[in-house]
Amino acid sequence: MYYLKISESPIDVQSLYDRLKDAQYGGIVTFVGTVRQWTGDVETQFIEYSAYQPMAERQLEKLAAPIEAKGARVVIAHRLGRLELTDEAVFVGVAAGHRAEAFEWCQYLIDTLKQDVPIWKKETDTDAVRWGE
């Protein structure tokens, strides 16, 4: 069964990875997004994430359920609140029978999450405050 969490608690990458391990899966792919200092010439000081949590959780369920129906396992965690440089902001993991599916589904999940799930990013940079995806 998929595991989905949206919280202000720090992301424990190891415990989330451990949720994916199972003898039936031969491929596990994870993506961890962290707060980076530089985006081109823009220097980030910190990021604040917010969400409409009930809707965000429903959207994550809509993403995870069809992949799990194909026999995979999905784990997604997104952090809310103020995050400092190098803090983990998001974890997406997929365990599948084979690596090709695990890679494909993990990329699909992170790309779709960033596009469709109502989680907002307020980035405080050295020169401005920006709202992003």
Short mmCIF file of all heavy atoms in Angstrom, two decimals, residues 102-124:
data_model
loop_
_atom_site.label_atom_id
_atom_site.label_comp_id
_atom_site.label_asym_id
_atom_site.label_seq_id
_atom_site.Cartn_x
_atom_site.Cartn_y
_atom_site.Cartn_z
N ALA A 102 10.38 1.18 -12.58
CA ALA A 102 10.66 2.00 -11.40
C ALA A 102 11.16 3.38 -11.82
O ALA A 102 10.71 4.41 -11.29
CB ALA A 102 11.66 1.31 -10.48
N PHE A 103 12.09 3.45 -12.78
CA PHE A 103 12.58 4.74 -13.27
C PHE A 103 11.45 5.54 -13.91
O PHE A 103 11.28 6.73 -13.62
CB PHE A 103 13.71 4.54 -14.30
CG PHE A 103 15.07 4.40 -13.71
CD1 PHE A 103 15.71 3.18 -13.69
CD2 PHE A 103 15.74 5.51 -13.18
CE1 PHE A 103 16.98 3.04 -13.15
CE2 PHE A 103 17.00 5.38 -12.64
CZ PHE A 103 17.63 4.14 -12.62
N GLU A 104 10.71 4.91 -14.78
CA GLU A 104 9.63 5.60 -15.50
C GLU A 104 8.60 6.17 -14.53
O GLU A 104 8.20 7.33 -14.64
CB GLU A 104 8.96 4.62 -16.46
CG GLU A 104 7.78 5.20 -17.21
CD GLU A 104 7.05 4.15 -18.05
OE1 GLU A 104 7.60 3.04 -18.26
OE2 GLU A 104 5.93 4.45 -18.48
N TRP A 105 8.15 5.37 -13.60
CA TRP A 105 7.10 5.81 -12.69
C TRP A 105 7.60 6.85 -11.70
O TRP A 105 6.86 7.77 -11.34
CB TRP A 105 6.48 4.61 -11.99
CG TRP A 105 5.70 3.73 -12.93
CD1 TRP A 105 5.06 4.12 -14.08
CD2 TRP A 105 5.49 2.34 -12.82
NE1 TRP A 105 4.46 3.04 -14.68
CE2 TRP A 105 4.71 1.94 -13.93
CE3 TRP A 105 5.87 1.37 -11.89
CZ2 TRP A 105 4.30 0.62 -14.13
CZ3 TRP A 105 5.46 0.06 -12.09
CH2 TRP A 105 4.69 -0.31 -13.20
N CYS A 106 8.84 6.74 -11.26
CA CYS A 106 9.39 7.74 -10.34
C CYS A 106 9.45 9.11 -11.03
O CYS A 106 9.05 10.11 -10.46
CB CYS A 106 10.76 7.30 -9.83
SG CYS A 106 11.40 8.36 -8.51
N GLN A 107 9.95 9.13 -12.26
CA GLN A 107 10.01 10.41 -12.98
C GLN A 107 8.61 10.96 -13.23
O GLN A 107 8.38 12.16 -13.06
CB GLN A 107 10.75 10.26 -14.30
CG GLN A 107 10.81 11.60 -15.02
CD GLN A 107 11.87 11.69 -16.07
OE1 GLN A 107 12.53 10.71 -16.39
NE2 GLN A 107 12.04 12.87 -16.61
N TYR A 108 7.68 10.11 -13.63
CA TYR A 108 6.31 10.55 -13.83
C TYR A 108 5.75 11.18 -12.55
O TYR A 108 5.12 12.24 -12.59
CB TYR A 108 5.43 9.37 -14.28
CG TYR A 108 3.96 9.66 -14.18
CD1 TYR A 108 3.32 10.44 -15.14
CD2 TYR A 108 3.22 9.21 -13.09
CE1 TYR A 108 1.96 10.74 -15.03
CE2 TYR A 108 1.87 9.50 -12.97
CZ TYR A 108 1.25 10.26 -13.94
OH TYR A 108 -0.08 10.57 -13.82
N LEU A 109 5.97 10.53 -11.41
CA LEU A 109 5.42 11.03 -10.14
C LEU A 109 5.98 12.40 -9.78
O LEU A 109 5.23 13.30 -9.42
CB LEU A 109 5.67 10.02 -9.02
CG LEU A 109 4.81 8.77 -9.07
CD1 LEU A 109 5.33 7.74 -8.08
CD2 LEU A 109 3.35 9.09 -8.81
N ILE A 110 7.29 12.57 -9.83
CA ILE A 110 7.85 13.87 -9.43
C ILE A 110 7.45 14.96 -10.42
O ILE A 110 7.10 16.07 -10.01
CB ILE A 110 9.38 13.82 -9.21
CG1 ILE A 110 9.88 15.15 -8.63
CG2 ILE A 110 10.14 13.48 -10.48
CD1 ILE A 110 9.30 15.53 -7.28
N ASP A 111 7.46 14.66 -11.70
CA ASP A 111 7.07 15.67 -12.69
C ASP A 111 5.60 16.06 -12.53
O ASP A 111 5.26 17.25 -12.58
CB ASP A 111 7.31 15.17 -14.12
CG ASP A 111 8.79 15.05 -14.46
OD1 ASP A 111 9.64 15.56 -13.70
OD2 ASP A 111 9.10 14.42 -15.49
N THR A 112 4.73 15.10 -12.32
CA THR A 112 3.30 15.38 -12.19
C THR A 112 3.00 16.04 -10.86
O THR A 112 2.16 16.95 -10.78
CB THR A 112 2.49 14.09 -12.37
OG1 THR A 112 2.89 13.47 -13.60
CG2 THR A 112 1.01 14.38 -12.42
N LEU A 113 3.68 15.62 -9.80
CA LEU A 113 3.51 16.25 -8.49
C LEU A 113 3.80 17.75 -8.59
O LEU A 113 3.01 18.57 -8.13
CB LEU A 113 4.45 15.58 -7.48
CG LEU A 113 4.42 16.04 -6.03
CD1 LEU A 113 4.95 14.93 -5.14
CD2 LEU A 113 5.20 17.30 -5.78
N LYS A 114 4.93 18.09 -9.19
CA LYS A 114 5.31 19.50 -9.30
C LYS A 114 4.30 20.31 -10.12
O LYS A 114 4.10 21.49 -9.87
CB LYS A 114 6.71 19.63 -9.90
CG LYS A 114 7.81 19.18 -8.95
CD LYS A 114 9.18 19.26 -9.57
CE LYS A 114 9.63 20.63 -9.91
NZ LYS A 114 10.24 21.41 -8.87
N GLN A 115 3.66 19.66 -11.08
CA GLN A 115 2.73 20.35 -11.95
C GLN A 115 1.31 20.41 -11.39
O GLN A 115 0.64 21.43 -11.51
CB GLN A 115 2.72 19.65 -13.31
CG GLN A 115 1.78 20.26 -14.31
CD GLN A 115 1.85 19.53 -15.64
OE1 GLN A 115 2.89 19.04 -16.03
NE2 GLN A 115 0.72 19.46 -16.32
N ASP A 116 0.83 19.33 -10.76
CA ASP A 116 -0.59 19.20 -10.46
C ASP A 116 -0.98 19.28 -8.99
O ASP A 116 -2.15 19.49 -8.69
CB ASP A 116 -1.12 17.85 -10.98
CG ASP A 116 -1.10 17.77 -12.50
OD1 ASP A 116 -0.87 18.80 -13.16
OD2 ASP A 116 -1.33 16.67 -13.02
N VAL A 117 -0.07 19.06 -8.09
CA VAL A 117 -0.42 18.99 -6.67
C VAL A 117 -0.33 20.39 -6.06
O VAL A 117 0.69 21.08 -6.24
CB VAL A 117 0.48 17.98 -5.93
CG1 VAL A 117 0.15 17.94 -4.44
CG2 VAL A 117 0.32 16.59 -6.54
N PRO A 118 -1.36 20.84 -5.33
CA PRO A 118 -1.38 22.20 -4.79
C PRO A 118 -0.44 22.39 -3.59
O PRO A 118 -0.85 22.47 -2.44
CB PRO A 118 -2.84 22.42 -4.42
CG PRO A 118 -3.37 21.06 -4.13
CD PRO A 118 -2.62 20.13 -5.05
N ILE A 119 0.85 22.42 -3.93
CA ILE A 119 1.90 22.75 -2.97
C ILE A 119 2.63 23.95 -3.57
O ILE A 119 3.06 23.89 -4.72
CB ILE A 119 2.87 21.57 -2.75
CG1 ILE A 119 2.11 20.39 -2.14
CG2 ILE A 119 4.04 21.98 -1.86
CD1 ILE A 119 2.91 19.11 -2.03
N TRP A 120 2.74 25.01 -2.77
CA TRP A 120 3.31 26.26 -3.28
C TRP A 120 4.64 26.56 -2.63
O TRP A 120 4.85 26.30 -1.45
CB TRP A 120 2.32 27.40 -3.04
CG TRP A 120 1.02 27.11 -3.71
CD1 TRP A 120 0.73 27.20 -5.04
CD2 TRP A 120 -0.18 26.64 -3.08
NE1 TRP A 120 -0.57 26.82 -5.28
CE2 TRP A 120 -1.15 26.47 -4.08
CE3 TRP A 120 -0.52 26.34 -1.76
CZ2 TRP A 120 -2.44 26.03 -3.82
CZ3 TRP A 120 -1.80 25.89 -1.49
CH2 TRP A 120 -2.74 25.74 -2.52
N LYS A 121 5.52 27.16 -3.42
CA LYS A 121 6.87 27.46 -2.98
C LYS A 121 7.09 28.98 -2.98
O LYS A 121 6.90 29.63 -4.01
CB LYS A 121 7.88 26.78 -3.92
CG LYS A 121 9.32 27.10 -3.60
CD LYS A 121 10.29 26.25 -4.43
CE LYS A 121 10.35 26.70 -5.86
NZ LYS A 121 11.43 26.02 -6.60
N LYS A 122 7.48 29.49 -1.84
CA LYS A 122 7.85 30.90 -1.71
C LYS A 122 9.35 30.92 -1.45
O LYS A 122 9.82 30.47 -0.41
CB LYS A 122 7.09 31.55 -0.56
CG LYS A 122 7.45 33.00 -0.32
CD LYS A 122 6.64 33.53 0.85
CE LYS A 122 7.17 34.81 1.38
NZ LYS A 122 6.47 35.22 2.61
N GLU A 123 10.10 31.43 -2.41
CA GLU A 123 11.56 31.40 -2.35
C GLU A 123 12.09 32.78 -1.97
O GLU A 123 11.79 33.77 -2.64
CB GLU A 123 12.11 30.98 -3.71
CG GLU A 123 13.59 30.77 -3.73
CD GLU A 123 14.06 30.15 -5.05
OE1 GLU A 123 13.26 29.52 -5.76
OE2 GLU A 123 15.24 30.34 -5.36
N THR A 124 12.81 32.84 -0.87
CA THR A 124 13.43 34.08 -0.45
C THR A 124 14.88 34.06 -0.90
O THR A 124 15.67 33.21 -0.46
CB THR A 124 13.34 34.27 1.09
OG1 THR A 124 11.95 34.29 1.45
CG2 THR A 124 14.00 35.57 1.52
#
